[in-house]
């Protein structure tokens, strides 16, 4: 494995760009190949067998055809369904996944009530069940909302649908705020959702904090690359190649919009304390 080889990052579509933004800012010397499986998005409502098959095919392509030295699965749904299979297939390779940032959410909450917004696939997964069981104590309530259609609406940049779905799903969370019995922290458990944060925040009103996963995934990737002596020095220049299995137009438009202004991904209209990040799997 060569230090100069690229790092492969993939998602069902544009969502993983929210992770890529953090990766690029932490690892400016690395070359990244981002693969959006646009032709098969969204993954979240498709069932495990489909997601496992797509994840293995995309990873295979990144490893065999593009010679990546590491893989970042920038998709909660694919991580939940298939990361163990990737680690079995490439045991020596640094492989990083994402999972809903429940740990920092539970550390942040003052009411003891947190919510996780994610795809149906992520919430139904064994991995997520184990995470909740491991982290949530008797004093905690974890509400989950499967946000059908939201990743797809973000993928299509369909602003009206994104706004309407954000309102609907925030309502489904139940009472929000910092009083007893109210949810005060909401986990964005899908990498697409940071791109809807402005609508989620508007729907939620004040007193609610959102957590997502870009930063800790970037940190974990940096750690694994350094441990494997595969990290590139910052002054090597880095680079980015965008690939898509479908019409690449959406991906390029989203990358233009989100990668040039990653600070908007991180802190749009936040109320209360600053957003915290976690969720490397
Ligand atoms: N962005 C992905 C995730 O984090 C998948 C969304 C989808 O394709 O449904 O779960």
């Amino acid at each position: 494995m060569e230090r100069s080889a690229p790092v492969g990052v993939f998602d069902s579509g544009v969502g993983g760009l929210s992770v890529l933004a953090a990766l690029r800012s932490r690892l400016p010397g690395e070359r990244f190949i981002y693969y959006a499986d646009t032709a098969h998005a969204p993954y979240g409502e498709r069932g495990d067998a489909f997601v496992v098959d797509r994840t293995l095919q995309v990873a295979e392509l990144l490893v065999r055809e593009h010679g990546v030295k590491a893989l970042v699965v920038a998709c909660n749904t694919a991580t939940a369904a298939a990361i163990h299979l990737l680690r079995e297939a490439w045991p020596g390779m640094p492989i990083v996944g994402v999972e809903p940032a429940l740990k920092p959410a539970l550390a942040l909450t003052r009411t003891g009530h947190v919510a996780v917004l994610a795809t149906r696939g992520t919430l139904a997964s064994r991995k997520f069940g184990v995470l909740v069981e491991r982290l949530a104590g008797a004093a905690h309530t974890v509400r989950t909302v499967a946000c059908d259609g939201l990743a797809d609406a973000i993928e299509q940049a369909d602003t009206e649908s994104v706004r309407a779905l954000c309102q609907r799903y925030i309502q489904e969370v139940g009472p929000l705020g910092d009083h007893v019995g109210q949810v005060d922290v909401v986990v964005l458990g899908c990498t697409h959702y940071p791109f809807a944060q402005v609508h989620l925040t508007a729907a939620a009103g004040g007193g609610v904090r959102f957590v997502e996963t870009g930063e800790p995934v970037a940190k974990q990737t940096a750690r694994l690359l350094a441990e494997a002596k595969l990290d590139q020095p910052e002054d090597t220049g880095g680079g980015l190649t965008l690939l898509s299995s479908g019409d690449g137009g959406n991906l390029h438009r989203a990358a233009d919009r989100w990668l040039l202004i990653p600070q908007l991904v991180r802190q749009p209209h936040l109320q209360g304390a600053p957003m915290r990040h976690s969720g490397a799997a």
Side-chain angles (χ1 to χ4, degrees):
M1 206 91 75
E2 303 260 335
R3 259 182 209 265
S4 59
V7 175
V9 182
F10 71 95
D11 179 39
S12 61
V14 302
L17 295 176
S18 64
V19 175
L20 181 64
L23 284 164
R24 289 180 81 214
S25 94
R26 184 170 279 266
L27 297 163
E30 299 294 343
R31 285 194 298 126
F32 291 99
I33 296 191
Y34 182 88
Y35 189 94
D37 196 13
T38 317
H40 306 96
Y43 285 175
E45 293 138 53
R46 293 279 236 318
D48 262 14
F50 180 88
V51 177
V52 165
D53 180 54
R54 288 311 309 159
T55 303
L56 292 175
Q57 287 200 41
V58 173
E60 182 83 20
L61 178 123
L62 287 168
V63 173
R64 306 265 178 253
E65 283 189 28
H66 298 279
V68 299
K69 63 183 176 187
L71 280 171
V72 178
V73 185
C75 174
N76 293 264
T77 314
T79 299
I83 196 142
H84 59 293
L85 299 173
L86 299 182
R87 288 181 174 139
E88 267 170 45
W90 294 284
M93 180 179 285
I95 299 179
V96 182
V98 298
E99 66 186 13
L102 192 58
K103 193 172 178 183
L106 292 173
L108 275 175
T109 180
R110 279 177 294 218
T111 64
H113 292 250
V114 305
V116 180
L117 307 184
T119 68
R120 191 161 288 281
T122 296
L123 296 178
S125 69
R126 194 171 168 272
K127 202 168 191 309
F128 181 71
V130 169
L131 186 74
V132 175
E133 204 152 286
R134 183 161 53 85
L135 297 177
H140 296 126
T141 302
V142 179
R143 297 197 189 138
T144 57
V145 178
C147 301
D148 291 351
L150 182 53
D152 197 30
I154 293 167
E155 194 66 32
Q156 307 305 327
D158 176 352
T159 310
E160 267 324 297
S161 298
V162 171
R163 193 195 319 270
L165 289 169
C166 286
Q167 261 164 13
R168 172 168 148 202
Y169 293 132
I170 285 291
Q171 230 165 34
E172 278 185 29
V173 168
L176 290 152
D178 47 17
H179 293 106
V180 180
Q182 295 180 328
V183 166
D184 61 348
V185 182
V186 174
V187 177
L188 303 183
C190 167
T191 54
H192 279 71
Y193 301 168
F195 298 129
Q197 171 120 32
V198 66
H199 302 295
L200 291 165
T201 304
V208 177
R209 280 169 287 183
F210 291 89
V211 291
E212 49 105 357
T213 47
E215 269 313 316
V217 170
K219 203 168 158 190
Q220 170 79 342
T221 306
R223 194 175 67 75
L224 292 186
L225 286 176
E227 268 176 22
K229 300 199 175 10
L230 286 172
D231 51 328
Q232 283 277 61
E234 285 194 12
D235 57 6
T236 0
L240 174 62
T241 304
L242 297 173
L243 302 171
S244 165
S245 57
D247 169 15
N250 275 2
L251 176 61
H252 281 92
R253 275 188 294 279
D256 276 351
R257 181 163 181 211
W258 298 110
L259 292 185
L260 291 180
I261 45 171
Q263 68 276 19
L264 269 188
V265 179
R266 310 257 86 84
Q267 303 186 318
H269 306 288
L270 277 180
Q271 319 208 6
M275 182 156 46
R276 296 261 292 273
H277 313 279
S278 185

